[in-house]
Amino acid sequence: MLFQKLVFELLVPIYTKSFILYTNEDILCKGANSLSISSRFSVGIHILSLLEINKGGVSSSDFIAKSVNTNPVVIRKIIGMLKNAGLVNVRPGIAGAEPARDLSEITLLDVYKAVNVVQEKALFSVHESPNPACLVGRNIQDTIGPLFSEAQLAMEKSLGNVTVEDVVKDILKRES
Amino acid sequence: MLFQKLVFELLVPIYTKSFILYTNEDILCKGANSLSISSRFSVGIHILSLLEINKGGVSSSDFIAKSVNTNPVVIRKIIGMLKNAGLVNVRPGIAGAEPARDLSEITLLDVYKAVNVVQEKALFSVHESPNPACLVGRNIQDTIGPLFSEAQLAMEKSLGNVTVEDVVKDILKRES
DNA sequence: TTTCATTGTAACTAATTTGATTACATGTAA
DNA sequence: TTACATGTAATCAAATTAGTTACAATGAAA
Ligand code: FES
Ligand code: FES
């Protein structure tokens, strides 16, 4: 254990100096980068749309994975979350999933909440432990919190205005 | 070079097996986790508020860092972004930063854009390379894109309705 | 002009999250 | 029983965040 730790500490510098090589493209990426909400959300919407459009056939995780172009385990995990939220029916051992209710009664907000991409009131993070001896520091969190919540709710309200049925209709419309 | 790579590949398994140990708390964290937008945003708002409230004195990166409770380099990086966006004035070698315009003319959306926490039309990520042989796969991106953009814009519009002056006033109000 | 404080940056790190993958246990039906 | 599907744990590489050290460049004051 101790030997391994010592060897590790000796080797890591070799690793970092030898193999973390930066190309010109890397260097172009200056400054801070930015976030995106997990594609679990878009994949979740996709799965539900596909279940509808493939209603005649059997939508196994393998079948869905080929459409989404990912690994079946990724699909099963997301379907598990959709099931947990009461949006789909699946049973162990039995191939295929189905929507648990009519797609006109499932909004994008339902999917968004099901796949847990953003916690309530936590889309924006606020720096922790500001200085309580500072007038700004001891008030900034309480001041910013409601403003951030409102912005997040505005985004979520927008998602609540669209159903998965709308998505399916738009897909079919684009196809013709 | 080749030798180092070989040694590295031999050592890494030892490292991962020996030192990545999970506790009970780790195991409790099941399912998928979620994202938050970088606290650069809240720190940026804080900095501007502090510049206003400390208008009599000199707001060096050291001074601000003590209020925010972080490292001065973090502050300088964020101030650099605010400067780039034309929101503050700073000069190398000269202590202190100042707002570049009246705080009533700086919205939270200006700060949000300055600190680059979210790219345009990229708050939500959409899974890449879905199967073009699938009816859903070849249309989902075009269908979802505008819906996601609209939700993002709703959030950003909400941020545009609040100025940093509003934030400063609320801080002062809470203090009395 | 020398000295010193401050800003501007590059480089590195530990922690966290994502998406993918392997492996295997569990469940269902032919 | 065999074959196949779902459920789930464990591992991994890549990306991002927030923090840190180190140091160059700038400007003000002694
Ligand atoms: S610590 Fe964030 S406001 Fe001063
Ligand atoms: S819709 Fe995402 S790939 Fe079929």
Side-chain angles (χ1 to χ4, degrees), chain A residues 127 129-131 134-141, chain B residues 42-43 45-47 49-50 64 66-69 171:
Chain A
H127 57 298
S129 51
N131 190 343
C134 163
L135 168 60
V136 180
R138 65 173 165 268
N139 291 294
I140 191 85
Q141 292 172 322
Chain B
S42 66
V43 173
I45 296 170
H46 173 119
I47 290 172
S49 305
L50 190 56
I64 299 171
K66 278 170 190 151
S67 172
V68 176
N69 190 23
I171 288 172

Side-chain angles (χ1 to χ4, degrees), chain A residues 46 67-68, chain B residues 127 130-131 134 136-137 140:
Chain A
H46 175 120
S67 172
V68 176
Chain B
H127 57 299
N131 191 343
C134 163
V136 180
I140 191 85

Side-chain angles (χ1 to χ4, degrees), chain A residues 48 76-92 97-98 100 114-115:
Chain A
L48 283 166
R76 290 203 286 272
K77 268 195 258 190
I78 295 174
I79 285 188
M81 300 177 99
L82 297 175
K83 178 188 182 179
N84 244 327
L87 303 183
V88 302
N89 292 325
V90 218
R91 275 169 301 173
E98 297 175 343
V115 297

Side-chain angles (χ1 to χ4, degrees), chain B residues 46-58:
Chain B
H46 173 119
I47 290 172
L48 283 166
S49 305
L50 190 56
L51 294 186
E52 176 73 14
I53 286 176
N54 188 42
K55 219 161 193 175
V58 173

